[in-house]
Amino acid sequence: MEKNNIKKQKHSKRETASRIIMCGPITVWTVLFIVLPVALLVFMSFLTKGSLGRIEYRFTLKNYAEIFNPAYLNVLKESVLIAFWTTLVTILLGYPLAMVMSKLRKKTSGIVAIAIMLPLWVSGLIITYSLVIMLNSSGTVNSFLMGLGIIKHPLQLLYNSFAVIVGMVYMFMPFAVLPMYSSIEKLDPAVIEASEDLGASPARTFFKVQLPLTSPGIFAAIILTFIPCIGYYMIADMLGGGKSMLIGNLIYRQFTVSRNWPFGAALSVVLAAIILIMVRIYTSRGGSMDDLA
């Protein structure tokens, strides 16, 4: 008995040691680069801005109260509106594409998935400049429409909310298509066949059967599109021409131009809280975190 106990103790110690060795590096990395920076950001959000951009270690709630300033609420409103329209257009365009991919052969759908992911492999700066060339007054789109005689004068497609939404849709389309494709691919074809055998029309089958069953993928696409849109300030700066101010632009300017780090930290904490709430809603509706990954 004593020998067995000693063997069990040695075995448990080895298991503990192996777990520490396996989990140690990732734990240290998580603490150093995720937990500590977030904790520092939260701590900074309760401090006070001093003269010349210095931080004074005086506790205050003024940074969070300042968010309710009408000027900043308008920025939040515009951010939500642009993110909403971007997400809506991305889902409406991405879901049919995901359906087509699910009906292709594995090899072909893999090639299509790689083509969809190409924007992620190209510098966002290059893509944004390409859109500037396409959308300006003498760009590709206006030249094409004028060449066909559809318009007589160039359309104002650049430096407005429309240009920002176009850029956002192009950038975040892969984040919407892939989770929806994963959800549609897991759908049992027998369920669709059973609905059709019971006399349901294709439209009724789609809205009553397929759409509810693939809703986790749709909600994952919404999260992966809506959240980055609010904080992606580069497209708003370059395609919006400074006319479209998103919360990401506001946070960036607080840390750089205004040198108001505590207020920028408060805005970042609020944005992070919105993200966590949306993820919580997603998981409570039965969504899988694997789809978000």
Side-chain angles (χ1 to χ4, degrees):
M1 291 292 292
E2 291 182 0
K3 290 182 178 180
N4 291 333
N5 291 332
I6 293 173
K7 287 181 180 180
K8 288 181 180 180
Q9 290 177 359
K10 288 182 178 179
H11 183 68
S12 63
K13 288 180 179 179
R14 287 175 183 174
E15 284 188 348
T16 304
S18 63
R19 289 175 181 175
I20 292 174
I21 293 172
M22 293 294 293
C23 301
I26 188 64
T27 302
V28 173
W29 188 92
T30 302
V31 170
L32 288 178
F33 297 104
I34 298 179
V35 177
L36 286 180
V38 171
L40 180 61
L41 197 67
V42 174
F43 174 71
M44 189 186 300
S45 68
F46 292 103
L47 301 181
T48 304
K49 177 191 175 184
S51 58
L52 301 177
R54 291 181 298 181
I55 299 176
E56 296 181 0
Y57 292 89
R58 289 188 289 112
F59 179 84
T60 180
L61 294 174
K62 186 184 294 185
N63 299 316
Y64 289 96
E66 187 69 15
I67 296 175
F68 294 96
N69 185 302
Y72 299 132
L73 286 177
N74 286 333
V75 172
L76 181 60
K77 177 184 175 182
E78 185 173 3
S79 301
V80 171
L81 283 175
I82 290 179
F84 170 78
W85 285 112
T86 301
T87 304
L88 180 63
V89 173
T90 305
I91 298 298
L92 291 177
L93 294 178
Y95 195 89
L97 179 56
M99 287 182 60
V100 172
M101 287 176 60
S102 67
K103 295 179 181 180
L104 299 175
R105 292 182 300 174
K106 289 288 184 181
K107 186 176 181 180
T108 308
S109 63
I111 295 173
V112 175
I114 292 174
I116 292 173
M117 292 173 63
L118 282 177
L120 302 179
W121 302 345
V122 181
S123 171
L125 193 62
I126 295 175
I127 292 174
T128 308
Y129 272 121
S130 301
L131 291 172
V132 170
I133 295 172
M134 290 178 61
L135 298 176
N136 64 32
S137 299
S138 59
T140 308
V141 176
N142 276 312
S143 298
F144 178 74
L145 294 176
M146 292 177 69
L148 293 177
I150 298 175
I151 58 174
K152 294 183 179 180
H153 303 284
L155 299 175
Q156 185 61 40
L157 302 176
L158 195 60
Y159 304 134
N160 50 35
S161 297
F162 170 80
V164 175
I165 292 173
V166 169
M168 294 284 192
V169 169
Y170 184 84
M171 289 294 295
F172 296 112
M173 182 65 75
F175 295 100
V177 173
L178 296 181
M180 289 191 292
Y181 165 69
S182 176
S183 184
I184 295 172
E185 190 184 31
K186 295 175 184 176
L187 186 63
D188 189 356
V191 178
I192 305 298
E193 293 176 3
S195 176
E196 293 175 351
D197 291 341
L198 291 172
S201 63
R204 188 174 180 83
T205 299
F206 175 76
F207 287 106
K208 295 293 184 179
V209 179
Q210 180 172 331
L211 202 60
L213 291 177
T214 57
S215 59
I218 297 174
F219 200 74
I222 291 173
I223 290 177
L224 293 174
T225 305
F226 185 86
I227 292 173
C229 284
I230 295 179
Y232 204 74
Y233 63 89
M234 184 178 69
I235 289 179
D237 270 347
M238 296 183 65
L239 298 181
K243 298 178 182 178
S244 297
M245 171 74 75
L246 304 184
I247 190 170
N249 303 86
L250 184 59
I251 293 173
Y252 170 76
R253 294 183 183 183
Q254 294 303 317
F255 278 101
T256 55
V257 180
S258 301
R259 301 285 295 174
N260 191 350
W261 288 24
F263 182 55
L267 289 169
S268 302
V269 170
V270 171
L271 185 59
I274 294 173
I275 294 172
L276 292 176
I277 291 171
M278 292 190 68
V279 172
R280 177 59 181 169
I281 294 173
Y282 168 69
T283 54
S284 65
R285 290 177 58 88
S288 174
M289 294 299 291
D290 293 337
D291 291 334
L292 294 181

